[in-house]
Amino acid sequence: MTTFYQEFQKVFLSVDCIIFGFDDNKLKILIGKRQMDPGRGEWSLYGGFVRNDESVDEAALRTLNELTGMRNIYMRQVGAFGSVDRDPGERVVSIAYYALINVNDYDDHQREEHGVEWVDIEAMPPLYSDHKDMVGKARKLMKEKIKTEPVGFRLLPDLFTLTQLQRLYEAVNGEELDKRNFRKRIKEMDFIEKTDLIDKKGSKRGACLYRFNRRTYNEFPNFKL
């Protein structure tokens, strides 16, 4: 450790992760009761402090892996949150990230071990500090991203119905979409493939199952919905 910058006040640097999932036609986030002071027992995002030997991106990836046990998670930085009074414990600046995971890929035992729950984003309880602001900004960024990149497929199973896909876009955007126009636009996208499989959970007749073809998308990446 050097002796430089001794005349300046030190601040703590942390990361907070907004983890989005999609279940029961609802956009959800993963939150839990805070297990440390200040704010013990309040609903909170999952996060941690940045270590001396890692970048902020590495700290976020480590935090996500500790919570989910998953790697290669889609993750994007939301921004820095540094209001002077945002943490009553110390002067803490937090870098927020949002991640997209398939709810079914997250082991329930691990979720229970960490004491976190999937909560409907439209029915969020009050969150610790400025975490609600983080969620709001993350959702806004995702709404813009999902219009130009097929990131929404990371929230869906490998096989899905067009109804599931439409419900996902409606949940992210917070508004209903015209079914006819939506399906017309989807059918113009070569990278959304219709399979020979049928999902009969919703009705006896069933609904066709589709899948996202990443190879085709990579060849023709122009996307706008």
Side-chain angles (χ1 to χ4, degrees):
M1 186 69 68
T2 69
T3 58
F4 298 114
Y5 312 128
Q6 293 297 313
E7 68 272 29
F8 296 106
Q9 178 183 342
K10 303 298 187 294
V11 300
F12 289 88
L13 181 63
S14 68
V15 293
D16 282 295
C17 298
I18 303 102
I19 304 174
F20 290 112
F22 180 70
D23 189 40
D24 195 27
N25 293 330
K26 304 290 186 181
L27 181 66
K28 301 195 173 184
I29 59 168
L30 200 60
I31 59 175
K33 294 293 184 70
R34 189 169 165 87
Q35 299 177 12
M36 60 187 296
D37 293 321
R40 186 183 298 271
E42 295 183 33
W43 287 103
S44 170
L45 298 172
Y46 195 84
F49 288 99
V50 179
R51 297 171 180 170
N52 288 335
D53 61 348
E54 62 185 2
S55 68
V56 289
D57 285 354
E58 289 169 342
L61 287 170
R62 171 179 56 78
T63 299
L64 287 170
N65 179 253
E66 288 174 355
L67 178 61
T68 67
M70 300 163 63
R71 298 188 182 277
N72 299 318
I73 295 177
Y74 179 89
M75 180 188 81
R76 292 293 183 273
Q77 189 178 116
V78 175
F81 292 76
S83 296
V84 174
D85 59 350
R86 65 172 302 275
D87 191 310
E90 289 285 353
R91 180 76 170 94
V92 181
V93 174
S94 182
I95 311 298
Y97 290 79
Y98 79 86
L100 309 179
I101 69 173
N102 185 334
V103 169
N104 294 324
D105 289 341
Y106 185 26
D107 185 86
D108 239 16
H109 294 295
Q110 190 158 5
R111 180 187 61 77
E112 292 173 359
E113 181 181 335
H114 285 282
V116 291
E117 299 180 20
W118 288 109
V119 175
D120 182 356
I121 195 170
E122 304 295 350
M124 267 192 322
L127 300 181
Y128 174 75
S129 185
D130 51 6
H131 288 190
K132 180 181 178 181
D133 296 335
M134 293 180 181
V135 174
K137 186 173 181 181
R139 186 181 189 183
K140 182 178 180 181
L141 291 174
M142 184 171 63
K143 285 171 66 173
E144 293 302 315
K145 181 68 71 175
I146 205 171
K147 294 177 183 176
T148 57
E149 292 183 27
V151 296
F153 295 103
R154 298 176 182 273
L155 298 169
L156 292 171
D158 291 336
L159 297 173
F160 52 87
T161 66
L162 291 185
T163 297
Q164 283 179 294
L165 185 59
Q166 181 174 339
R167 295 291 179 264
L168 168 64
Y169 274 84
E170 290 175 336
V172 171
N173 290 293
E175 60 184 14
E176 292 186 13
L177 300 173
D178 180 81
K179 179 178 178 179
R180 187 174 180 179
N181 290 337
F182 181 82
R183 297 200 172 196
K184 180 181 178 181
R185 184 71 185 97
I186 291 299
K187 289 179 179 179
E188 294 173 352
M189 300 176 181
D190 294 336
F191 54 84
I192 301 179
E193 295 181 341
K194 184 178 180 180
T195 72
D196 296 328
L197 302 174
I198 301 293
D199 178 15
K200 294 187 177 182
K201 294 178 182 178
S203 65
K204 291 182 179 180
R205 182 181 178 184
C208 294
L209 287 167
Y210 291 74
R211 65 186 168 204
F212 171 61
N213 188 319
R214 185 171 296 280
R215 180 179 296 179
T216 302
Y217 172 74
N218 289 336
E219 293 175 358
F220 307 97
N222 292 328
F223 176 87
K224 189 173 183 180
L225 186 64

